[in-house]
Amino acid sequence: MQTSGYRQAFRILIIVMLWAATPAGSLGVEPEDAGTGLPVIPPMNLVAADTPNDNGNGITLRWDCPPGDDGSGAVISGYVVLRSENSREGYLETAVLGPGTAKYIDNGPAADPVTGEKIHFIRNKPYYYRVAARYASGYRAVSGASGPVQGRAQWFHDGKIPVLTATVLFFALVILYIQKARLQGSELYVRPIAGMKEIDNAIGRATEMGRPILYVLGLGSPEDIATIASYTILARVARKTAEYRTELIVPCNEPIVMTIAQETVRNAYMEAGHPDAYSDDMVFFVTSMQFAYVAAVNGLMLREKTATNCYFGKFYAESLLLSETGNIAGSIQVAGTDEVAQLPFFVTTCDYTLIGEELYAASAYLGRDPLLLGALKAQDFAKALVMILIVAGAVLMSFGIDWLLEIITVRM
Amino acid sequence: MAHAYTPGLKVSPKIRLTKKRILPLKGDVVVNVGDTVTSDTVVARTELPGKVTPINAANILGVPAPDLVEHVLKPEGSPIAKGEIYAVAKSFFGLFKTTLKAPEDCHLENISQITGKILLRGKPLPVEVTAYLEGKVTEVYPQEGVAVECWAAFTQGIFGIGGETHGILRMVCKSKDERLSPEKISPEHRGCVLVGGSIVTAAALKKALEHGVRAIVVGGFDDQDLRNFLGYDLGVAITGSENKGITLVVTEGFGEIPMADRTFELLKNHEGHKACVNGATQIRAGVIRPEVVIPRPESELKAGPEVTAGALIIGTPIRVIREPYFGRLGTVSLLPPELTPLESETKARVLKVKFADGIEAVVPRANVEILET
Amino acid sequence: MTQKPEDIKVIIATDCGSTTTKAILIQYDEEKGEYRQTYRGEAPTTVESPFEDVTKGVLNSISELSELSGRELLDENNMILKKSSPSEGADIYISTSSAGGGLQMMVAGVVRSMTAESAERAALGAGAIVMDVIASNDHRLPHEQIERIRQLRPDMILLSGGIDGGTKSHVVDLAELISAADPKPRLGIGFKLPVIYAGNRDAREEVSGTLEEKVDLVIVDNLRPVLEKENLGPARDKIHDMFMEHVMQQAPGYKKLMEWTDSPIMPTPGAVGAIIERVAQLYDLQVVGVDIGGATTDVFSVFVDPEDEKPVFNRTVSANLGMSYSISNILAEATLPNISRWVPFPIDERELRNQIKNKMIRPTTIPQTLHSLAVEQAIAREALRLAFVQHKSFATTLKGVQKQRTIADAFVQTGTEGTIVNMMNLDLLVGSGGVLSHAPRRNQSAMMMIDAFRPEGITRLAVDSIFMMPHLGVLSEVHPKAATEVFLKDCLVYIGTCIAPVGQIKESKDVMKYSIDLPQGRQEGMLRQGEMLLFPLGVGEKASAVFEPTGKADVGAGKGTRVETVVHGGVVGLILDGRGRPLMTVPDDKDARIQQMLSWLENLKVYNMDELKALGRA
């Protein structure tokens, strides 16, 4: 990077010098006939080198344009890149470039002038290069050969060091926190999510009132992340209802979701040591139609007088219809969704709402499994780091200091 | 104010001892008044009601709780043999049957129509009470137990662990201030009650356990060792139910403290005879102390000198039971009546004690105990 | 009670403890127009063999009272002379009792944190020791629960569960468990165990059907009629009645004692709670009271519930935290490093362990050396701290209550787990029990209470002079005026006021500027982090003071907000505690820790410093 900078500077210097040496007004004048005026100079200082950070399919050429090249094509109309497998002969054209060009990455085929056959660039094969400047006057000035040079694949792309650093850092954090979670057990502090903590109380309330608990998995498909997170929470809720011996109602609107939910609940009852209390009727399919489903669930709430309603998963327009009915029925309600648009409705109608990612965090929080906990902690830490970088970068850039940006910029 | 002092522990060379041997709940007494009993003689036995197993029957059978009783094949209170089917639910025209089988021999205790549960009560657990002492039955409390009486040499410890046991008394320390170390214990001590001097080391205790020693009576014990031995830190001094395979009676306290002369001499006099030991301790209102009883014929026991009732007068032999003179013996040399400030600035009634080596010191009266002579 | 309160001039009150029976005499001072406690007598309790009659000890203690006061209190038949004249007799006689292990109860409820907890609160408030709490969700299998009920043999069971109209099956389930266990009371073979049912109204019939034959069942109003409200009064009163009718009847001599008293005998801790609750109510105070005994530590508190802004009374018993019988348990629960952080000299673990165990097996000894005293007081700090931690986790707002939310709550959703113990609001901290009441210097009591309870902001400290709270508690049922007057004038010994800014401030940085108008002149200065200061201000004296905490500290009005107030003195005076809240951590290094401790103790004149420093060097 530095060398190219010098080279650039050098080039500019030469151009400036040339420009200064030219009599005033001479640039605006019709160019002299090349054949009569300036000497014909080939491109200078041609360097062919392997292109860094690639898969070996390229060789980078750099040269200094002859003094006459002002980029307008008036003196020099362009350049021709020549490639050969030996230094002395057999140079074939691989590219024709416009004026003012001083760099080219060669990876294309060369055409055999005789047969017209295309000769492809081959990785790891030594090549020699020359670059010819084509003067408008018809002259062709060919530079000295540069080479041999091979196109090699790199193991390492140094432009992506920031990505590597961030990845390594993140995984180190994950491992560190998992380790910490293992050592400290449940001591590891995770910000308590009020809604999750209150689920126990909500189930307790239902038990004392002798009324059932309703659990809605949302309208998502089985593979939605929100639905997957909801299974974990359902398992927890079911374990508690098993323990408290309280009735649990899980109406589903997707047959596959229903099957998974059934399995989840059955397992939870077994884990709680009350397999006898489980019955398949707890989890059932209602309908796949959005509003028919709402009508059915609302009916359930009012008929069964559910004491506690849980809504976790993907929700759309039905969110308010469901939670408002529950609110009117006097149930304690806990909701969580990653559908940002539905959050305000839940917040106002439910006792506790898990906001966005809290839904995913909830499973780690509930399970207290070191793997999940560690990952959760590490993610939080990484997010905090990103936030700090954004703020710091914004402040620094405002004062025109760009080193931070330089460090974290990823070059392709 | 004689009541303010911790009474010394009882050490009597000759005593007529009566122990009530009572069942935890009513049962049968199997001996009669006048019977001669030994430590292992069973004097009363009863049966504890068996364990109760609730079965969530309505759910297993898939019937509503109020209907449960229709599906149970036996009335409440009837016995059920192991493997016997006691409840059946049929569905689909009797094609599918769900049954409940008894896991063991039991009684059908209760069928609940509200919770849908069946309670099964298992076989009763027999409970027996032995005589513990060697002597005569002097009284029978019908259905409850008996009183066993014997002549014995008797001594109490301050703290113990483990329950009732008995064995031949063996002195393994020559003097009261000798440590009971592992090399003093040999395989021939199996089934014996060993008497040590000032302290029993953790290693010695371990070895005693390996060699099947029944009990150890010793002056002191280290708390750290106690914790290691029990596997937990003893919080409150209520013991007796530890099942460690050995009973330990500490006569003086924690740390290394020579056993009191009288206790040591008493035990020494009866070496080779059978001793009944109980480590059960309860330091609360209604205190229980661990004890060593050596039942002997009356003629072979010599009564000690008259025991002076716990009054504190000049010349009373006492032991200091708190720092800085912990464990030292001496006699009362002065009893100032007024409250005297101590080093800790506490004002208390004090006394002056003259230790065996002639040195005198002032200690609070609450911190001494009278040695019964 | 047939007497009018104004006719009551002379009162005898006794408290039959498990070891001693204490009697006090309260007389009406005609000139000043107030009740004062005048004499006190004590005698050993005579519940156990060889006496087996509690009244003997009561009479002994009263005759001591009679000797001391020169007032005839007993007639020739050894009966209390009722109806006072200027020279003899007393108008009423009242008593409390904790002999024979007090009232031991077992409670049962459906959900551990809801009705079971309310039931526990009712039992504790009535002065019982709660041996175990059975709940549908206590993670025990039914047969384990049955086994437990059978083993423990409580004096009484309180069964609750379900709100009115709520669950039936869970409550009947619990009743079936009790029925299957067929428990026998601890005292009195052949009697039926009293069981109080205070649960779902709708399940009464089923519960009595299940239990009636096996136990002595009494039904009272539901103690949690709805989840949002507790109604502990009826259950608590019934516990007192049953305590009198059943438990007391079985204890030797109590029948006679009950005939003598003019008001029902109360369990001692119940009486202590009653007086604290009454005083808090009367003077609108938020109070914490603690009684650290030989076997147990009781904590009482009255705090305002932030939800409905009503004062709530709570009591907890830490059954195995005490200074003699249970001293070794403190070591087990608090662990050695926690105890040694309060000891201003190095200690050897093995030696300390043996010392503690020796105190356990010989509980009546008293510390003779400064060394033993300092160690014992360090242990007391941990016992008090642990008991208070338990108390805080118990004194909570009701769980299972529905919330109403607005969109503004999106990010501030709080759970209902919160304790209602807010130390900043605490007005008065009362200590009682030997180690606090009888410490050689009151400064030691003050230091122990501050270290253990960590009062925040401005808090008055007091100790119970001769443990008469139980007597006053039962008196407050009969004659509230006399009880509260004596409580404030004779029972409490004011130690002083503790001013402790809250906040974590860096070491030796400024915490608070103070300016106090003491009688001997104004004191001004800056309190630094980690510093403790003492200013003398006598009993009954007041001083106006201005406290200006720095930005991170708070003395009650908010961070960095100035407080202008009047502070009350006491035997010790004003204590400025700059150690921050939560309390600054103690350095790990032994020498640094001892140095720090010594500087606090020196400023507060806690011990004889020359001797203490000598111990450190030894």
Side-chain angles (χ1 to χ4, degrees):
Chain A
M1 207 188 88
Q2 260 188 347
T3 44
S4 79
Y6 282 129
R7 217 166 274 153
Q8 192 79 12
F10 181 68
R11 217 179 80 196
I12 292 168
L13 192 74
I14 289 176
I15 294 170
V16 169
M17 275 163 63
L18 284 172
W19 176 71
T22 324
S26 66
L27 279 178
V29 184
E30 279 262 70
E32 274 180 81
D33 190 346
T36 58
L38 285 164
V40 177
I41 302 171
M44 289 170 296
N45 302 329
L46 172 69
V47 177
D50 177 31
T51 308
N53 300 328
D54 71 348
N55 58 359
N57 282 338
I59 286 172
T60 305
L61 308 174
R62 290 171 200 278
W63 61 91
D64 297 334
C65 301
D69 186 7
D70 59 358
S72 64
V75 180
I76 292 177
S77 61
Y79 298 94
V80 178
V81 179
L82 303 164
R83 182 172 76 200
S84 167
E85 287 170 27
N86 69 63
S87 62
R88 290 172 186 277
E89 54 190 19
Y91 282 96
L92 302 176
E93 272 184 30
T94 75
V96 179
L97 307 169
T101 317
K103 183 187 168 193
Y104 175 67
I105 296 174
D106 176 42
N107 56 6
D112 192 317
V114 184
T115 59
E117 185 195 351
K118 279 188 175 173
I119 300 164
H120 286 280
F121 180 86
I122 295 168
R123 209 184 286 178
N124 295 336
K125 193 167 192 173
Y127 287 115
Y128 295 85
Y129 284 94
R130 290 185 155 175
V131 176
R134 291 204 304 199
Y135 279 81
S137 53
Y139 286 105
R140 201 172 139 127
V142 181
S143 72
S146 175
V149 60
Q150 291 162 297
R152 287 188 190 279
Q154 272 76 41
W155 289 103
F156 196 80
H157 188 323
D158 63 9
K160 291 188 176 169
I161 284 179
V163 176
L164 178 75
T165 319
T167 313
V168 169
L169 193 72
F170 177 68
F171 279 101
L173 278 171
V174 170
I175 289 166
L176 186 82
Y177 275 108
I178 290 176
Q179 213 51 34
K180 216 172 150 190
R182 284 212 172 112
L183 287 178
Q184 293 186 346
S186 52
E187 304 265 304
L188 189 73
Y189 180 78
V190 180
R191 180 177 67 86
I193 303 171
M196 279 296 108
K197 267 174 102 171
E198 282 306 303
I199 281 193
D200 282 8
N201 284 336
I203 298 169
R205 180 183 162 91
T207 312
E208 293 282 7
M209 295 174 92
R211 302 213 204 130
I213 288 166
L214 177 78
Y215 192 101
V216 179
L217 285 146
L219 258 54
S221 55
E223 69 277 4
D224 273 332
I225 298 181
T227 315
I228 292 168
S230 187
Y231 295 140
T232 324
I233 301 172
L234 173 63
R236 155 80 167 207
V237 170
R239 237 187 337 260
K240 285 283 162 189
T241 56
E243 217 174 80
Y244 285 71
R245 283 171 293 129
T246 302
E247 208 186 317
L248 176 68
I249 306 175
V250 189
C252 300
N253 98 325
E254 245 266 359
I256 301 170
V257 170
M258 180 199 81
T259 322
I260 300 172
Q262 247 169 7
E263 206 50 44
T264 311
V265 175
R266 184 185 297 121
N267 273 336
Y269 271 68
M270 295 225 287
E271 268 173 49
H274 299 282
D276 50 316
Y278 172 78
S279 108
D280 269 343
D281 301 340
M282 290 173 165
V283 187
F284 51 89
F285 173 71
V286 184
T287 165
S288 324
M289 292 161 78
Q290 186 180 15
F291 290 101
Y293 178 74
V294 172
V297 174
N298 281 356
L300 263 176
M301 279 183 212
L302 295 174
R303 274 193 314 277
E304 302 281 338
K305 295 196 171 52
T306 54
T308 302
N309 304 332
C310 302
Y311 312 101
F312 293 105
K314 261 217 167 350
F315 287 90
Y316 303 99
E318 70 284 0
S319 67
L320 189 62
L321 292 171
L322 288 172
S323 54
E324 185 62 24
T325 313
N327 190 285
I328 291 165
S331 318
I332 279 201
Q333 307 197 93
V334 189
T337 184
D338 53 359
E339 278 297 314
V340 181
Q342 306 305 326
L343 280 171
F345 303 128
F346 277 142
V347 170
T348 43
T349 47
C350 293
D351 293 62
Y352 299 94
T353 310
L354 270 59
I355 295 168
E357 276 196 12
E358 279 185 343
L359 179 63
Y360 314 140
S363 54
Y365 178 75
L366 290 178
R368 304 225 61 108
D369 171 18
L371 285 176
L372 291 175
L373 264 188
L376 178 69
K377 279 294 254 195
Q379 278 177 44
D380 282 357
F381 194 92
K383 278 178 208 157
L385 212 64
V386 168
M387 280 186 242
I388 291 170
L389 284 177
I390 291 173
V391 172
V395 171
L396 288 176
M397 285 305 283
S398 308
F399 290 100
I401 305 165
D402 62 354
W403 57 262
L404 186 64
L405 190 72
E406 283 289 316
I407 290 174
I408 59 176
T409 303
V410 175
R411 286 179 302 275
M412 297 314 283
Chain B
M1 296 277 285
H3 62 262
Y5 315 118
T6 313
L9 303 169
K10 206 169 242 157
V11 181
S12 28
K14 182 175 181 179
I15 190 173
R16 195 148 128 180
L17 212 59
T18 309
K19 290 255 170 208
K20 283 188 180 178
R21 310 292 296 162
I22 303 290
L23 287 166
L25 67 169
K26 289 190 174 175
D28 303 320
V29 175
V30 295
V31 290
N32 297 311
V33 174
D35 284 1
T36 306
V37 290
T38 64
S39 300
D40 293 326
T41 312
V42 173
V43 294
R45 60 167 60 100
T46 187
E47 289 182 334
L48 271 180
K51 280 194 174 158
V52 176
T53 323
I55 311 282
N56 203 343
N59 265 355
I60 298 173
L61 297 179
V63 297
D67 301 347
L68 177 62
V69 72
E70 295 162 22
H71 298 272
V72 182
L73 306 173
K74 302 214 160 194
E76 283 181 19
S78 51
I80 315 170
K82 185 177 177 177
E84 195 180 334
I85 293 169
Y86 61 90
V88 181
K90 287 180 188 158
S91 54
F92 209 72
F93 309 110
L95 229 54
F96 299 102
K97 271 205 293 191
T98 318
T99 57
L100 287 176
K101 282 183 191 169
E104 54 185 352
D105 290 349
C106 55
H107 274 80
L108 203 157
E109 168 124 340
N110 181 34
I111 304 164
S112 172
Q113 302 200 21
I114 295 149
T115 56
K117 280 188 186 167
I118 292 177
L119 293 185
L120 298 180
R121 195 180 282 275
K123 266 200 294 198
L125 311 160
V127 179
E128 291 180 341
V129 173
T130 61
Y132 173 52
L133 297 183
E134 283 193 354
K136 274 201 164 63
V137 176
T138 53
E139 205 171 332
V140 169
Y141 311 99
Q143 296 188 316
E144 290 180 23
V146 298
V148 177
E149 191 182 272
C150 69
W151 281 95
F154 176 77
T155 179
Q156 278 181 328
I158 187 107
F159 175 82
I161 53 172
E164 294 173 347
T165 182
H166 57 86
I168 302 298
L169 203 62
R170 292 270 173 241
M171 307 299 284
V172 284
C173 289
K174 286 191 194 68
S175 74
K176 59 176 178 143
D177 42 19
E178 206 174 299
R179 286 167 151 246
L180 205 176
S181 43
E183 69 274 7
K184 294 195 170 79
I185 298 167
S186 59
E188 69 200 45
H189 290 135
R190 174 170 296 278
C192 289
V193 173
L194 301 189
V195 180
S198 58
I199 192 167
V200 56
T201 58
L205 191 64
K206 194 168 160 240
K207 194 167 170 193
L209 198 62
E210 282 164 11
H211 287 313
V213 172
R214 292 260 180 95
I216 288 180
V217 184
V218 73
F221 191 47
D222 205 284
D223 181 45
Q224 192 85 51
D225 295 341
L226 177 69
R227 182 183 165 176
N228 295 341
F229 182 62
L230 290 178
Y232 56 90
D233 212 340
L234 192 71
V236 282
I238 297 174
T239 64
S241 53
E242 297 78 15
N243 241 334
K244 288 282 165 187
I246 192 165
T247 296
L248 179 71
V249 174
V250 177
T251 62
E252 315 303 318
F254 287 91
E256 186 171 348
I257 319 163
M259 189 182 285
D261 263 333
R262 277 171 49 81
T263 316
F264 193 78
E265 286 306 316
L266 181 142
L267 295 171
K268 201 169 159 186
N269 287 343
H270 297 284
E271 183 170 11
H273 293 281
K274 181 170 167 177
C276 305
V277 185
N278 186 358
T281 311
Q282 184 178 326
I283 305 171
R284 278 288 156 109
V287 57
I288 298 172
R289 296 283 187 192
E291 60 184 17
V292 180
V293 183
I294 307 151
R296 301 290 305 273
E298 186 188 353
S299 54
E300 287 180 28
L301 290 166
K302 245 192 288 169
E306 267 304 297
V307 173
T308 41
L312 203 55
I313 50 168
I314 289 176
T316 308
I318 53 167
R319 186 214 321 255
V320 184
I321 52 172
R322 180 126 194 203
E323 290 74 28
Y325 306 106
F326 182 79
R328 295 183 69 175
L329 304 172
T331 52
V332 178
S333 63
L334 194 66
L335 284 163
E338 68 277 5
L339 293 175
T340 313
L342 307 171
E343 185 203 317
S344 62
E345 299 177 338
T346 312
K347 278 189 185 150
R349 290 208 171 178
V350 297
L351 55 75
K352 209 170 222 182
V353 56
K354 190 171 184 177
F355 293 123
D357 54 9
I359 295 170
E360 284 196 315
V362 173
V363 291
R365 293 189 195 185
N367 291 3
V368 300
E369 64 186 17
I370 298 169
L371 294 175
E372 290 181 359
T373 49
Chain C
M1 266 309 300
T2 49
Q3 283 152 302
K4 284 186 219 146
E6 54 273 21
D7 292 341
I8 299 173
K9 306 283 184 208
V10 183
I11 301 158
I12 302 175
T14 56
D15 171 39
C16 311
S18 51
T19 51
T20 45
T21 300
K22 287 149 269 183
I24 60 165
L25 188 66
I26 293 168
Q27 286 169 294
Y28 185 67
D29 187 333
E30 298 282 353
E31 280 169 33
K32 290 187 183 152
E34 59 182 18
Y35 288 89
R36 295 300 293 258
Q37 182 264 334
T38 48
Y39 296 97
R40 168 176 190 269
E42 65 173 52
T45 300
T46 50
V47 174
E48 282 163 27
S49 64
F51 308 101
E52 293 193 349
D53 182 356
V54 71
T55 55
K56 286 210 171 75
V58 169
L59 289 174
N60 289 343
S61 66
I62 295 177
S63 66
E64 193 177 333
L65 211 55
S66 182
E67 278 167 37
L68 290 168
S69 62
R71 187 183 179 90
E72 278 304 323
L73 296 171
L74 299 170
D75 64 13
E76 57 280 6
N77 299 328
N78 249 350
M79 288 294 285
I80 297 167
L81 271 174
K82 292 283 174 72
K83 190 95 194 107
S84 72
S85 72
S87 64
E88 56 175 37
D91 296 305
I92 53 168
Y93 168 63
I94 49 180
S95 186
T96 60
S97 170
S98 60
L103 168 61
Q104 306 192 355
M105 285 184 69
M106 198 150 186
V107 302
V110 171
V111 176
R112 180 66 186 86
S113 60
M114 292 173 195
T115 47
E117 192 174 284
S118 294
E120 192 183 2
R121 228 188 298 279
L124 285 168
I129 291 171
V130 174
M131 306 164 88
D132 202 352
V133 181
I134 303 275
S136 299
N137 66 324
D138 63 6
H139 299 278
R140 282 182 288 195
L141 293 172
H143 71 84
E144 290 169 337
Q145 292 171 327
I146 294 171
E147 214 42 51
R148 184 85 181 136
I149 302 173
R150 226 198 253 166
Q151 256 171 27
L152 287 178
R153 297 183 74 161
D155 290 327
M156 206 187 287
I157 292 178
L158 173 62
L159 169 63
S160 71
I163 58 167
D164 280 340
T167 177
K168 256 188 196 178
S169 66
H170 288 86
V171 188
V172 176
D173 218 15
L174 288 168
E176 279 171 3
L177 284 182
I178 295 173
S179 164
D182 194 8
K184 296 281 172 273
R186 189 166 56 108
L187 302 168
I189 298 175
F191 284 86
K192 282 184 181 176
L193 180 82
V195 174
I196 300 170
Y197 175 65
N200 184 1
R201 183 192 302 265
D202 297 354
R204 283 179 185 176
E205 207 176 300
E206 289 86 347
V207 169
S208 41
T210 315
L211 283 175
E212 219 159 32
E213 280 171 24
K214 293 201 172 164
V215 300
D216 189 350
L217 184 71
V218 193
I219 293 174
V220 295
D221 284 350
N222 194 349
L223 49 75
R224 198 86 182 255
V226 286
L227 281 170
E228 281 72 19
K229 208 182 112 211
E230 265 181 353
N231 176 29
L232 305 181
R236 222 148 90 177
D237 293 344
K238 193 45 90 181
I239 293 172
H240 280 160
D241 293 351
M242 301 291 269
F243 177 64
M244 291 283 290
E245 282 170 30
H246 288 258
V247 185
M248 287 286 95
Q249 293 280 8
Q250 315 303 335
Y254 275 91
K255 227 175 206 160
K256 224 191 310 175
L257 188 67
M258 278 160 62
E259 285 166 19
W260 293 359
T261 57
D262 294 289
S263 145
I265 301 173
M266 277 171 98
T268 304
V272 175
I275 184 72
I276 287 178
E277 201 175 354
R278 184 150 328 241
V279 169
Q281 187 191 359
L282 210 61
Y283 297 93
D284 193 19
L285 295 175
Q286 302 197 28
V287 185
V288 167
V290 61
D291 174 20
I292 175 162
T296 61
T297 296
D298 282 54
V299 182
F300 307 86
S301 75
V302 179
F303 278 99
V304 171
D305 185 336
E307 306 257 310
D308 60 0
E309 307 198 336
K310 278 195 198 118
V312 178
F313 169 77
N314 268 295
R315 165 180 177 250
T316 50
V317 192
S318 303
N320 284 322
L321 295 173
M323 288 306 294
S324 58
Y325 302 117
S326 321
I327 190 165
S328 146
N329 198 53
I330 302 173
L331 176 67
E333 280 190 26
T335 70
L336 191 73
N338 273 332
I339 290 176
S340 60
R341 67 178 158 157
W342 304 117
V343 183
F345 43 79
I347 45 175
D348 171 53
E349 179 173 358
R350 195 164 265 263
E351 195 186 306
L352 179 84
R353 285 185 154 277
N354 284 338
Q355 274 179 25
I356 288 178
K357 280 285 189 305
N358 279 323
K359 165 97 183 177
M360 171 181 85
I361 55 176
R362 292 181 167 100
T364 54
T365 60
I366 57 175
Q368 178 174 1
T369 58
L370 189 59
H371 185 283
S372 325
L373 183 77
V375 169
E376 207 161 302
Q377 294 187 340
I379 297 169
R381 282 178 173 91
E382 280 304 299
L384 293 170
R385 181 181 68 84
L386 290 172
F388 196 49
V389 167
Q390 254 179 39
H391 186 79
K392 275 196 262 190
S393 65
F394 181 71
T396 53
T397 48
L398 295 182
K399 295 180 190 95
V401 175
Q402 204 188 1
K403 302 255 166 173
Q404 290 298 331
R405 300 252 183 230
T406 63
I407 192 75
D409 294 335
F411 297 103
V412 287
Q413 303 173 26
T414 48
T416 54
E417 308 272 289
T419 175
I420 59 165
V421 173
N422 180 349
M423 293 306 278
M424 192 55 109
N425 295 342
L426 181 67
D427 299 302
L428 178 63
L429 175 57
V430 184
S432 143
V435 70
L436 291 174
S437 293
H438 299 146
R441 295 189 188 185
R442 296 287 188 205
N443 305 47
Q444 292 161 2
S445 315
M447 191 73 188
M448 278 186 271
M449 274 153 66
I450 294 172
D451 285 345
F453 289 94
R454 293 144 200 203
E456 297 173 0
I458 302 170
T459 314
R460 278 186 93 177
L461 308 176
V463 291
D464 179 2
S465 56
I466 50 169
F467 198 55
M468 55 172 137
M469 286 202 277
H471 308 84
L472 299 179
V474 65
L475 180 61
S476 73
E477 304 277 300
V478 187
H479 198 316
K481 178 175 177 295
T484 45
E485 274 182 22
V486 175
F487 181 78
L488 292 175
K489 291 200 182 95
D490 295 311
C491 174
L492 290 191
V493 176
Y494 288 104
I495 289 185
T497 302
C498 170
I499 298 113
V502 174
Q504 279 184 309
I505 288 128
K506 282 198 189 117
E507 214 178 312
S508 54
K509 286 267 166 17
D510 293 348
V511 176
M512 179 181 75
K513 213 159 112 186
Y514 59 86
S515 154
I516 310 163
D517 285 316
L518 295 172
Q520 58 270 36
R522 171 174 292 198
Q523 284 282 353
E524 284 180 327
M526 177 61 83
L527 177 71
R528 285 174 210 292
Q529 202 278 343
E531 193 177 37
M532 289 194 88
L533 300 175
L534 175 68
F535 298 106
L537 184 66
V539 179
E541 291 179 339
K542 287 180 193 170
S544 48
V546 179
F547 302 111
E548 289 178 57
T550 54
K552 281 184 180 170
D554 175 11
V555 269
K559 277 187 181 172
T561 312
R562 167 190 153 102
V563 171
E564 216 172 320
T565 182
V566 173
V567 287
H568 297 260
V571 194
V572 175
L574 298 182
I575 298 164
L576 268 54
D577 182 351
R579 296 178 295 178
R581 297 288 185 276
L583 204 66
M584 60 188 282
T585 48
V586 176
D588 286 334
D589 176 56
K590 198 172 72 186
D591 295 328
R593 188 199 81 219
I594 291 174
Q595 273 316 310
Q596 189 187 59
M597 193 73 200
L598 281 175
S599 81
W600 297 337
L601 296 175
E602 184 151 25
N603 284 1
L604 259 61
K605 301 191 179 66
V606 175
Y607 296 111
N608 180 334
M609 290 314 289
D610 297 335
E611 286 188 32
L612 197 66
K613 283 178 183 161
L615 279 176
R617 282 190 291 273

